[in-house]
Amino acid sequence: MTDPTVRAATLLKEHRESIDRLDAILVYTLGERFKHTKAVGKLKAEHDLPPSDPAREAKQIKRLEALAAEADLDPEFAKAFLNFIIAEVIQHHKKHQE
């Protein structure tokens, strides 16, 4: 029989290792996402398109809220997260237009 404290420490270590792997996935995924949004920003600047697209942003927020609900993630958190990313992307797009 395993000591409960040892078992808890083992489980904690396993959870933290999974969290570390997931954090790496998030960082690399965001990096890949920003590569594409950077390309979009350049394309918009080259064709004199506005840096933001409110209709697309609203559609994406609704889409992400639905995905969050499916993933058992707080939709308000998902919405706030996407709004943060969108604001960052718009700032990048504006820089391309300067």
Side-chain angles (χ1 to χ4, degrees):
M1 187 162 142
T2 306
D3 177 350
T5 303
V6 172
R7 178 73 178 134
T10 300
L11 289 172
L12 182 61
K13 181 178 183 275
E14 291 171 1
H15 285 301
R16 287 180 172 163
E17 288 171 351
S18 291
I19 290 167
D20 291 350
R21 284 190 299 274
L22 291 164
D23 285 346
I25 290 168
L26 286 171
V27 168
Y28 280 97
T29 300
L30 284 171
E32 187 67 20
R33 187 184 195 288
F34 277 101
K35 286 178 192 173
H36 289 284
T37 59
K38 184 177 180 180
V40 167
K42 287 181 181 179
L43 190 61
K44 285 181 172 185
E46 290 169 4
H47 296 280
D48 200 30
L49 297 169
S52 70
D53 182 345
R56 174 164 166 73
E57 292 160 21
K59 182 179 174 184
Q60 286 298 95
I61 288 170
K62 286 194 178 294
R63 181 178 160 271
L64 191 67
E65 286 175 320
L67 289 171
E70 289 176 20
D72 197 27
L73 179 67
D74 178 4
E76 286 303 311
F77 170 79
K79 182 178 176 179
F81 182 69
L82 185 59
N83 279 328
F84 173 77
I85 290 174
I86 289 170
E88 187 68 20
V89 168
I90 290 169
Q91 289 304 313
H92 291 182
H93 289 185
K94 286 179 179 178
K95 287 179 184 175
H96 288 295
Q97 293 185 339
E98 292 175 351

